Amino acid sequence: MRKASFGRVLWGLGLLVAAAFLVLDQLHLMPLELGFWAIFWTVVFGATLITSLINKSLGGSIFSIAFLLIIYAKPLHIERIVPWTVLLAAFLIWGGLRLIFKKSWKPTVIINGEKVNANWSDLKAPHKFKAEHVFSDTSSSDNDDNIVISEKLSSTSRYVHSQHLETVTVNVSMGDVNVYLDSAKPAGDEVLANINMSMGDINIYIPTSWRVDDQLEHKFGDFTIDGDQPAEGPTLVLQGRANMGDVTIKRV
């Protein structure tokens, strides 16, 4: 029998807790009268908060707390500042903490059975290690020629093994994405990377023989290319927009 993932167990327990709270609420045995939707969203954002803390997703953690504050605004006596003041404060807190703890707040991975930070994946030969997120199902392989990755309030790693790679599209909103292209081969002379990012981090790992053509629009973020640019070779063409986030290209 396949062992259930932590995420499935967490959401399963959340549904059981929601059912218990709903019955207790209808029997007026709860200290607060919540109602069905308050209980439902409490379980949703509570589970999201726990998952985000475990996966070290800063945006997911902060905004989960913000939505929980909105749900319980009345008993907390903060009705005057919900929802927009709370959401704006969450956004500012996210931006400030992200700048302060940028290097330490990274998803945890397992490399050769040991827990390390995701930044350790930029070792000289990360493809020789088996890496996966702790308590997460967001690490996967892909053999498609046209890759699409979309993440919100979460983290993911995608290992691309296509031998005729044409395009990679990455849509990120308050999340972290690692794309490993070191085992991929382009269909032609270029691989087009379409980036659409708002408040997040994108790390793209490419072979040392690949060139990089940066046509990306950057606003309020960092763009870094590690390693030397070869004189010839396949070219990764970056297009799109990156707002309030970091894009890093790493040669491995």
Side-chain angles (χ1 to χ4, degrees):
M1 180 180 294
R2 183 180 178 182
K3 185 177 179 180
S5 68
F6 178 84
R8 289 173 56 192
V9 172
L10 179 62
W11 285 102
L13 290 175
L15 293 176
L16 295 177
V17 171
F21 278 8
L22 180 61
V23 172
L24 294 174
D25 182 67
Q26 294 301 308
L27 293 174
H28 303 288
L29 297 177
M30 295 284 291
L32 298 174
E33 292 187 4
L34 299 177
F36 172 78
W37 289 111
I39 294 173
F40 174 81
W41 289 116
T42 297
V43 171
V44 169
F45 290 117
T48 302
L49 174 60
I50 295 173
T51 304
S52 298
L53 288 173
I54 291 172
N55 287 328
K56 295 186 178 181
S57 174
L58 187 60
S61 302
I62 292 174
F63 282 93
S64 294
I65 294 174
F67 285 115
L68 287 172
L69 291 175
I70 293 173
I71 294 172
Y72 291 95
K74 186 174 181 179
L76 292 174
H77 306 291
I78 57 173
E79 298 99 321
R80 297 180 61 182
I81 62 172
V82 296
W84 302 115
T85 301
V86 170
L87 292 176
L88 178 59
F91 172 78
L92 295 174
I93 292 171
W94 173 85
L97 291 179
R98 184 173 176 275
L99 291 174
I100 296 172
F101 299 106
K102 176 182 176 182
K103 298 300 182 182
S104 60
W105 191 273
K106 292 292 183 180
T108 305
V109 300
I110 296 176
I111 297 181
N112 287 351
E114 297 183 2
K115 295 181 181 180
V116 299
N117 288 335
N119 267 358
W120 287 29
S121 58
D122 62 352
L123 297 171
K124 292 184 178 180
H127 56 282
K128 295 182 179 179
F129 299 93
K130 181 180 180 181
E132 58 184 19
H133 291 282
V134 177
F135 303 137
S136 176
D137 295 321
T138 58
S139 177
S140 61
S141 298
D142 204 322
N143 294 311
D144 293 339
D145 297 337
N146 296 280
I147 309 297
V148 178
I149 305 171
S150 298
E151 289 295 318
K152 292 183 179 180
L153 296 173
S154 58
S155 303
T156 189
S157 293
R158 186 72 62 88
Y159 299 85
V160 180
H161 302 292
S162 172
Q163 300 301 293
H164 299 87
L165 185 62
E166 297 177 356
T167 63
V168 178
T169 300
V170 182
N171 303 309
V172 184
S173 178
M174 292 182 289
D176 298 317
V177 173
N178 297 303
V179 185
Y180 294 85
L181 303 179
D182 49 301
S183 296
K185 293 183 179 180
D189 296 330
E190 296 181 346
V191 172
L192 181 61
N194 300 301
I195 306 296
N196 181 22
M197 181 181 68
S198 176
M199 297 184 292
D201 284 319
I202 298 177
N203 296 306
I204 302 178
Y205 299 82
I206 63 173
T208 56
S209 60
W210 285 25
R211 296 172 51 82
V212 178
D213 181 5
D214 176 27
Q215 302 178 14
L216 195 63
E217 295 182 14
H218 314 279
K219 292 183 180 179
F220 307 107
D222 296 329
F223 177 78
T224 306
I225 302 178
D226 290 347
D228 297 328
Q229 182 92 311
E232 298 180 352
T235 302
L236 179 69
V237 181
L238 298 172
Q239 296 183 348
R241 296 178 298 177
N243 298 325
M244 302 186 68
D246 299 333
V247 178
T248 302
I249 309 298
K250 300 183 180 183
R251 292 187 170 89
V252 294

PDB file of all heavy atoms in Angstrom, residues 175-193:
ATOM      1  N   GLY A 175       5.248  32.750  -5.027  1.00  0.00           N
ATOM      2  CA  GLY A 175       5.715  31.373  -4.931  1.00  0.00           C
ATOM      3  C   GLY A 175       7.155  31.249  -5.368  1.00  0.00           C
ATOM      4  O   GLY A 175       7.785  32.221  -5.797  1.00  0.00           O
ATOM      5  N   ASP A 176       7.683  30.047  -5.237  1.00  0.00           N
ATOM      6  CA  ASP A 176       9.056  29.745  -5.635  1.00  0.00           C
ATOM      7  C   ASP A 176       9.053  28.592  -6.631  1.00  0.00           C
ATOM      8  O   ASP A 176       8.392  27.578  -6.400  1.00  0.00           O
ATOM      9  CB  ASP A 176       9.904  29.347  -4.423  1.00  0.00           C
ATOM     10  CG  ASP A 176      10.000  30.466  -3.397  1.00  0.00           C
ATOM     11  OD1 ASP A 176      10.178  31.609  -3.814  1.00  0.00           O
ATOM     12  OD2 ASP A 176       9.887  30.173  -2.193  1.00  0.00           O
ATOM     13  N   VAL A 177       9.785  28.759  -7.727  1.00  0.00           N
ATOM     14  CA  VAL A 177       9.842  27.732  -8.768  1.00  0.00           C
ATOM     15  C   VAL A 177      11.298  27.445  -9.115  1.00  0.00           C
ATOM     16  O   VAL A 177      12.084  28.369  -9.359  1.00  0.00           O
ATOM     17  CB  VAL A 177       9.077  28.168 -10.038  1.00  0.00           C
ATOM     18  CG1 VAL A 177       9.303  27.164 -11.169  1.00  0.00           C
ATOM     19  CG2 VAL A 177       7.590  28.304  -9.753  1.00  0.00           C
ATOM     20  N   ASN A 178      11.648  26.166  -9.126  1.00  0.00           N
ATOM     21  CA  ASN A 178      12.962  25.711  -9.588  1.00  0.00           C
ATOM     22  C   ASN A 178      12.753  24.871 -10.845  1.00  0.00           C
ATOM     23  O   ASN A 178      11.997  23.889 -10.810  1.00  0.00           O
ATOM     24  CB  ASN A 178      13.651  24.868  -8.519  1.00  0.00           C
ATOM     25  CG  ASN A 178      13.937  25.652  -7.259  1.00  0.00           C
ATOM     26  OD1 ASN A 178      14.607  26.677  -7.297  1.00  0.00           O
ATOM     27  ND2 ASN A 178      13.421  25.189  -6.129  1.00  0.00           N
ATOM     28  N   VAL A 179      13.382  25.267 -11.938  1.00  0.00           N
ATOM     29  CA  VAL A 179      13.257  24.552 -13.202  1.00  0.00           C
ATOM     30  C   VAL A 179      14.627  24.007 -13.583  1.00  0.00           C
ATOM     31  O   VAL A 179      15.581  24.772 -13.769  1.00  0.00           O
ATOM     32  CB  VAL A 179      12.731  25.465 -14.331  1.00  0.00           C
ATOM     33  CG1 VAL A 179      12.502  24.651 -15.600  1.00  0.00           C
ATOM     34  CG2 VAL A 179      11.444  26.160 -13.913  1.00  0.00           C
ATOM     35  N   TYR A 180      14.723  22.696 -13.710  1.00  0.00           N
ATOM     36  CA  TYR A 180      15.997  22.043 -14.025  1.00  0.00           C
ATOM     37  C   TYR A 180      15.993  21.622 -15.496  1.00  0.00           C
ATOM     38  O   TYR A 180      15.276  20.705 -15.886  1.00  0.00           O
ATOM     39  CB  TYR A 180      16.208  20.821 -13.125  1.00  0.00           C
ATOM     40  CG  TYR A 180      16.382  21.171 -11.665  1.00  0.00           C
ATOM     41  CD1 TYR A 180      15.280  21.344 -10.840  1.00  0.00           C
ATOM     42  CD2 TYR A 180      17.653  21.345 -11.127  1.00  0.00           C
ATOM     43  CE1 TYR A 180      15.435  21.673  -9.499  1.00  0.00           C
ATOM     44  CE2 TYR A 180      17.823  21.674  -9.785  1.00  0.00           C
ATOM     45  CZ  TYR A 180      16.701  21.835  -8.977  1.00  0.00           C
ATOM     46  OH  TYR A 180      16.860  22.165  -7.656  1.00  0.00           O
ATOM     47  N   LEU A 181      16.801  22.323 -16.289  1.00  0.00           N
ATOM     48  CA  LEU A 181      16.911  22.033 -17.724  1.00  0.00           C
ATOM     49  C   LEU A 181      18.243  21.378 -18.058  1.00  0.00           C
ATOM     50  O   LEU A 181      18.573  21.233 -19.246  1.00  0.00           O
ATOM     51  CB  LEU A 181      16.763  23.329 -18.535  1.00  0.00           C
ATOM     52  CG  LEU A 181      15.472  24.139 -18.310  1.00  0.00           C
ATOM     53  CD1 LEU A 181      15.492  25.399 -19.168  1.00  0.00           C
ATOM     54  CD2 LEU A 181      14.243  23.300 -18.632  1.00  0.00           C
ATOM     55  N   ASP A 182      19.013  20.968 -17.059  1.00  0.00           N
ATOM     56  CA  ASP A 182      20.360  20.444 -17.310  1.00  0.00           C
ATOM     57  C   ASP A 182      20.343  19.104 -18.018  1.00  0.00           C
ATOM     58  O   ASP A 182      21.359  18.687 -18.579  1.00  0.00           O
ATOM     59  CB  ASP A 182      21.147  20.349 -16.002  1.00  0.00           C
ATOM     60  CG  ASP A 182      20.360  19.649 -14.898  1.00  0.00           C
ATOM     61  OD1 ASP A 182      19.279  20.137 -14.548  1.00  0.00           O
ATOM     62  OD2 ASP A 182      20.838  18.610 -14.403  1.00  0.00           O
ATOM     63  N   SER A 183      19.180  18.412 -18.010  1.00  0.00           N
ATOM     64  CA  SER A 183      19.077  17.133 -18.728  1.00  0.00           C
ATOM     65  C   SER A 183      18.305  17.268 -20.038  1.00  0.00           C
ATOM     66  O   SER A 183      18.110  16.277 -20.743  1.00  0.00           O
ATOM     67  CB  SER A 183      18.379  16.090 -17.831  1.00  0.00           C
ATOM     68  OG  SER A 183      19.143  15.814 -16.685  1.00  0.00           O
ATOM     69  N   ALA A 184      17.881  18.475 -20.359  1.00  0.00           N
ATOM     70  CA  ALA A 184      17.074  18.702 -21.565  1.00  0.00           C
ATOM     71  C   ALA A 184      17.957  19.091 -22.749  1.00  0.00           C
ATOM     72  O   ALA A 184      19.081  19.573 -22.584  1.00  0.00           O
ATOM     73  CB  ALA A 184      16.044  19.797 -21.313  1.00  0.00           C
ATOM     74  N   LYS A 185      17.411  18.864 -23.945  1.00  0.00           N
ATOM     75  CA  LYS A 185      18.076  19.276 -25.178  1.00  0.00           C
ATOM     76  C   LYS A 185      17.086  20.070 -26.022  1.00  0.00           C
ATOM     77  O   LYS A 185      15.923  19.688 -26.151  1.00  0.00           O
ATOM     78  CB  LYS A 185      18.569  18.063 -25.964  1.00  0.00           C
ATOM     79  CG  LYS A 185      19.688  17.299 -25.268  1.00  0.00           C
ATOM     80  CD  LYS A 185      20.190  16.142 -26.125  1.00  0.00           C
ATOM     81  CE  LYS A 185      21.322  15.403 -25.427  1.00  0.00           C
ATOM     82  NZ  LYS A 185      21.822  14.257 -26.244  1.00  0.00           N
ATOM     83  N   PRO A 186      17.520  21.191 -26.602  1.00  0.00           N
ATOM     84  CA  PRO A 186      16.605  22.025 -27.387  1.00  0.00           C
ATOM     85  C   PRO A 186      16.253  21.396 -28.725  1.00  0.00           C
ATOM     86  O   PRO A 186      17.049  20.647 -29.301  1.00  0.00           O
ATOM     87  CB  PRO A 186      17.395  23.325 -27.575  1.00  0.00           C
ATOM     88  CG  PRO A 186      18.826  22.908 -27.477  1.00  0.00           C
ATOM     89  CD  PRO A 186      18.862  21.770 -26.502  1.00  0.00           C
ATOM     90  N   ALA A 187      15.050  21.734 -29.203  1.00  0.00           N
ATOM     91  CA  ALA A 187      14.620  21.238 -30.508  1.00  0.00           C
ATOM     92  C   ALA A 187      15.394  21.912 -31.632  1.00  0.00           C
ATOM     93  O   ALA A 187      15.613  21.325 -32.696  1.00  0.00           O
ATOM     94  CB  ALA A 187      13.119  21.459 -30.682  1.00  0.00           C
ATOM     95  N   GLY A 188      15.805  23.148 -31.413  1.00  0.00           N
ATOM     96  CA  GLY A 188      16.571  23.892 -32.405  1.00  0.00           C
ATOM     97  C   GLY A 188      17.729  24.608 -31.750  1.00  0.00           C
ATOM     98  O   GLY A 188      18.379  24.072 -30.849  1.00  0.00           O
ATOM     99  N   ASP A 189      17.973  25.836 -32.188  1.00  0.00           N
ATOM    100  CA  ASP A 189      19.065  26.620 -31.618  1.00  0.00           C
ATOM    101  C   ASP A 189      18.647  27.390 -30.376  1.00  0.00           C
ATOM    102  O   ASP A 189      19.502  27.903 -29.646  1.00  0.00           O
ATOM    103  CB  ASP A 189      19.607  27.607 -32.667  1.00  0.00           C
ATOM    104  CG  ASP A 189      20.221  26.897 -33.865  1.00  0.00           C
ATOM    105  OD1 ASP A 189      20.737  25.774 -33.666  1.00  0.00           O
ATOM    106  OD2 ASP A 189      20.178  27.455 -34.977  1.00  0.00           O
ATOM    107  N   GLU A 190      17.323  27.518 -30.142  1.00  0.00           N
ATOM    108  CA  GLU A 190      16.834  28.321 -29.042  1.00  0.00           C
ATOM    109  C   GLU A 190      15.756  27.589 -28.253  1.00  0.00           C
ATOM    110  O   GLU A 190      15.015  26.769 -28.793  1.00  0.00           O
ATOM    111  CB  GLU A 190      16.249  29.654 -29.541  1.00  0.00           C
ATOM    112  CG  GLU A 190      17.250  30.584 -30.197  1.00  0.00           C
ATOM    113  CD  GLU A 190      16.602  31.886 -30.634  1.00  0.00           C
ATOM    114  OE1 GLU A 190      15.351  31.952 -30.665  1.00  0.00           O
ATOM    115  OE2 GLU A 190      17.338  32.833 -30.947  1.00  0.00           O
ATOM    116  N   VAL A 191      15.690  27.924 -26.977  1.00  0.00           N
ATOM    117  CA  VAL A 191      14.580  27.523 -26.108  1.00  0.00           C
ATOM    118  C   VAL A 191      13.985  28.809 -25.559  1.00  0.00           C
ATOM    119  O   VAL A 191      14.693  29.621 -24.956  1.00  0.00           O
ATOM    120  CB  VAL A 191      15.046  26.614 -24.955  1.00  0.00           C
ATOM    121  CG1 VAL A 191      13.897  26.381 -23.977  1.00  0.00           C
ATOM    122  CG2 VAL A 191      15.557  25.294 -25.494  1.00  0.00           C
ATOM    123  N   LEU A 192      12.692  29.003 -25.777  1.00  0.00           N
ATOM    124  CA  LEU A 192      12.025  30.225 -25.339  1.00  0.00           C
ATOM    125  C   LEU A 192      11.449  30.032 -23.943  1.00  0.00           C
ATOM    126  O   LEU A 192      10.668  29.114 -23.710  1.00  0.00           O
ATOM    127  CB  LEU A 192      10.910  30.599 -26.315  1.00  0.00           C
ATOM    128  CG  LEU A 192      10.122  31.875 -26.004  1.00  0.00           C
ATOM    129  CD1 LEU A 192      11.055  33.085 -26.017  1.00  0.00           C
ATOM    130  CD2 LEU A 192       8.990  32.065 -27.003  1.00  0.00           C
ATOM    131  N   ALA A 193      11.853  30.898 -23.018  1.00  0.00           N
ATOM    132  CA  ALA A 193      11.326  30.862 -21.652  1.00  0.00           C
ATOM    133  C   ALA A 193      10.416  32.067 -21.447  1.00  0.00           C
ATOM    134  O   ALA A 193      10.876  33.211 -21.450  1.00  0.00           O
ATOM    135  CB  ALA A 193      12.461  30.879 -20.641  1.00  0.00           C
TER     136      ALA A 193
END
